Amino acid sequence: MRKILIIAGILLCCLNMQAQDMKSLFVALPDSLSPLLTEVNRADFGDFLASNMKAQVKNRFGNTSEMLKLTDDYLLLKVSAVSTAEMRLLPLNDSVKVICVVQTYQGPVSDSRVSFYDTSWKSLPAENFLTLPAEDAFYKTPVTETQTDSLKNLRTRADMFLLKAVLSEKDTSLSFVYTTPDYLDKETLKEIKPYLVAVPLKYVWQNGRFVRL
């Protein structure tokens, strides 16, 4: 009896390990977290890619959704014409992983939401894994009083904080792009551009948390 229990435990562990790949986890995504895609839709994506076919399906609204990238630990999905989803499987330790989900909406300027889940799709507190950058981090420090006053005036016109998050396909990094300037008029954008940090802010996954480089 003891041997049977041990073997059953080993088999259960093996099944859990096998299920911890992005394709299996995505198919197991609860409908509450996937309002546009059915379980069949989600399974079809992987099957189409495995057959070297374009991974497109008709979602619940009758529109097209397309899987653009799928690996063992990463996926990129064009959910609709105005939204995308990225998912990355990240290690907490040797046996436990979490799923980072980035949902980006184009309305018309890109804005993202970053969420975290365990491998049973239970929501986890995002602050345990990431501190989002403050808006000030995307601005250079003015060197003169005149520049300080100018920037203060310009930022009153940038009255929404919009942020696009991007997971890397190649590694476990996460980048943030400041998209607020994208909705400004051309003249204001021209004036504010010299004060902006030119490159995205990059975070890397270290010891179970995203840390800014």
Side-chain angles (χ1 to χ4, degrees):
M1 185 66 178
R2 184 181 177 188
K3 287 183 178 179
I4 293 174
L5 291 174
I6 292 173
I7 292 171
I10 292 172
L11 289 173
L12 183 60
C13 289
C14 290
L15 287 171
N16 287 336
M17 289 176 66
Q18 289 172 357
Q20 287 196 345
D21 65 89
M22 203 68 256
K23 179 182 176 181
S24 299
L25 290 167
F26 182 62
V27 172
L29 185 68
D31 287 347
S32 60
L33 297 177
S34 180
L36 284 183
L37 299 169
T38 66
E39 183 177 349
V40 173
N41 287 155
R42 297 192 298 272
D44 283 345
F45 283 131
D47 294 339
F48 290 153
L49 288 173
S51 300
N52 295 315
M53 298 169 60
K54 202 166 188 177
Q56 292 183 336
V57 302
K58 291 294 183 182
N59 58 43
R60 282 191 171 103
F61 286 173
N63 298 318
T64 299
S65 298
E66 182 178 1
M67 182 75 74
L68 301 175
K69 187 77 175 181
L70 178 63
T71 68
D72 285 345
D73 56 12
Y74 172 83
L75 70 78
L76 171 60
L77 174 67
K78 185 177 181 181
V79 182
S80 71
V82 294
S83 64
T84 60
E86 285 186 292
M87 300 183 188
R88 165 70 72 178
L89 196 56
L90 298 163
L92 276 184
N93 54 47
D94 291 340
S95 59
V96 179
K97 295 182 179 181
V98 296
I99 308 164
C100 177
V101 178
V102 175
Q103 296 167 292
T104 301
Y105 303 92
Q106 187 78 19
V109 176
S110 295
D111 191 38
S112 297
R113 177 188 175 191
V114 183
S115 307
F116 294 86
Y117 301 86
D118 66 16
T119 52
S120 297
W121 290 107
K122 178 183 176 182
S123 180
L124 302 172
E127 60 270 19
N128 289 355
F129 308 101
L130 170 70
T131 300
L132 291 172
E135 190 169 10
D136 288 345
F138 295 94
Y139 287 90
K140 300 174 185 176
T141 303
V143 295
T144 68
E145 187 174 340
T146 300
Q147 289 180 343
T148 299
D149 292 339
S150 175
L151 179 58
K152 184 178 180 180
N153 178 57
L154 288 168
R155 288 189 63 175
T156 62
R157 299 181 228 174
D159 55 354
M160 290 191 294
F161 183 21
L162 301 174
L163 200 57
K164 181 181 179 180
V166 181
L167 285 163
S168 172
E169 294 182 24
K170 299 178 180 179
D171 55 42
T172 56
S173 64
L174 173 66
S175 298
F176 289 96
V177 179
Y178 184 50
T179 55
T180 295
D182 293 345
Y183 87 88
L184 300 176
D185 62 83
K186 291 183 179 180
E187 186 59 35
T188 301
L189 177 58
K190 182 179 178 181
E191 292 180 45
I192 206 171
K193 196 170 184 179
Y195 297 102
L196 297 175
V197 174
V199 296
L201 302 186
K202 187 173 182 179
Y203 287 64
V204 294
W205 186 255
Q206 291 182 353
N207 300 318
R209 185 176 177 84
F210 279 114
V211 179
R212 184 179 167 186
L213 285 179

